[in-house]
Amino acid sequence: MNSALEHNQALQQNGFFTAADLEENKQGRYSPAQLKRFEESRNFMQYTANKYDNKTPIISAIFGFAFLFFVVVLYFVGLFDMLQNMLGSLFFPVMAGALLLAALFIFVIIPRQYQATVEMTRSMGTPLAASPLGEIQTIEARAEAYTSQGGINRRGHQSSRKTHILQMDSIKFIITDTLREAIQSKRLYRVHAVQDQGVWVLLSMETLE
């Protein structure tokens, strides 16, 4: 175990915070650099929301053409003939119901879900002046730093995505790979953090031993 001074320097080099940030956080304040980063992050969220806003007609068109292509493929492989022989007089009512259901998804449900995602992104980009950051929280605990492998992807395979996590008591932070390597598990740390829009954000940290 290296000295506290050396270890704190390593944390600062790999944790994207400075000694000045740490001193401000100890006083319960955000440093100017931290406020700038939060403002830039929210501005990016606003930019992203504005970029993808009012695109629901395009989304509906994409899914509509995909559905049409799927129907054409089914027609040429003879599936509709098979269904007509199986269903008899019920074939056209069933097809009409399926078409109405597909239209409901393409023109109502999918656009609403898409726009809801855009609005959620927009809310995450609310300027600091309108939605200030919360109070800085201080947590003292023995750290547990580890890497979590992603779950199962859409193809049913193990995802290759990795998330690096710092756990302090019951609180978890998403951190960079370099900071994870710098943190020594079971060592006692003091972390300064804030819960911003439901997510814990690590501001700065130092070892206590």
Side-chain angles (χ1 to χ4, degrees):
M1 184 180 294
N2 51 8
S3 70
L5 178 60
E6 292 175 344
H7 190 53
N8 284 333
Q9 289 175 343
L11 292 174
Q12 293 170 19
Q13 290 172 358
N14 295 283
F16 301 104
F17 65 91
T18 64
D21 295 332
L22 178 61
E23 290 304 316
E24 288 290 330
N25 297 159
K26 285 181 179 180
Q27 303 301 319
R29 299 188 298 262
Y30 297 94
S31 71
Q34 289 172 334
L35 290 174
K36 182 180 179 181
R37 285 196 294 270
F38 275 106
E39 193 67 61
E40 289 174 346
S41 175
R42 294 194 179 190
N43 288 341
F44 177 76
M45 289 296 181
Q46 281 287 341
Y47 168 79
T48 301
N50 292 334
K51 180 180 179 181
Y52 293 101
D53 196 13
N54 299 320
K55 296 293 192 299
T56 50
I58 298 176
I59 298 300
S60 294
I62 292 173
F63 278 92
F65 281 118
F67 175 73
L68 182 61
F69 176 78
F70 181 67
V71 169
V72 170
V73 170
L74 294 181
Y75 173 78
F76 280 107
V77 299
L79 182 62
F80 289 121
D81 291 335
M82 294 173 56
L83 289 175
Q84 190 169 16
N85 292 332
M86 292 173 56
L87 298 175
S89 61
L90 294 177
F91 174 75
F92 288 104
V94 169
M95 289 297 101
L99 183 61
L100 287 175
L101 185 61
L104 179 65
F105 271 91
I106 293 172
F107 297 106
V108 179
I109 297 178
I110 292 176
R112 284 185 178 180
Q113 290 294 326
Y114 174 85
Q115 192 61 33
T117 302
V118 171
E119 294 304 324
M120 181 180 67
T121 304
R122 191 191 311 281
S123 68
M124 294 173 64
T126 304
L128 291 179
S131 179
L133 296 169
E135 293 185 3
I136 295 176
Q137 306 295 318
T138 301
I139 307 162
E140 294 183 6
R142 296 199 176 274
E144 189 69 37
Y146 59 93
T147 299
S148 175
Q149 185 76 30
I152 303 299
N153 60 25
R154 294 180 181 180
R155 296 183 178 180
H157 301 148
Q158 183 72 32
S159 173
S160 60
R161 181 179 179 181
K162 295 181 180 180
T163 303
H164 307 290
I165 297 172
L166 166 64
Q167 182 166 345
M168 302 283 288
D169 288 335
S170 60
I171 299 176
K172 295 181 180 180
F173 304 94
I174 296 178
I175 59 176
T176 63
D177 182 30
T178 54
L179 182 57
R180 180 193 61 80
E181 293 178 352
I183 293 172
Q184 297 174 354
S185 292
K186 306 304 181 183
R187 190 164 183 169
L188 184 62
Y189 292 93
R190 178 188 292 128
V191 165
H192 303 284
V194 63
Q195 193 171 24
D196 184 41
Q197 300 174 336
V199 178
W200 281 101
V201 180
L202 189 150
L203 299 172
S204 59
M205 65 185 299
E206 60 181 336
T207 184
L208 298 178
E209 60 182 19

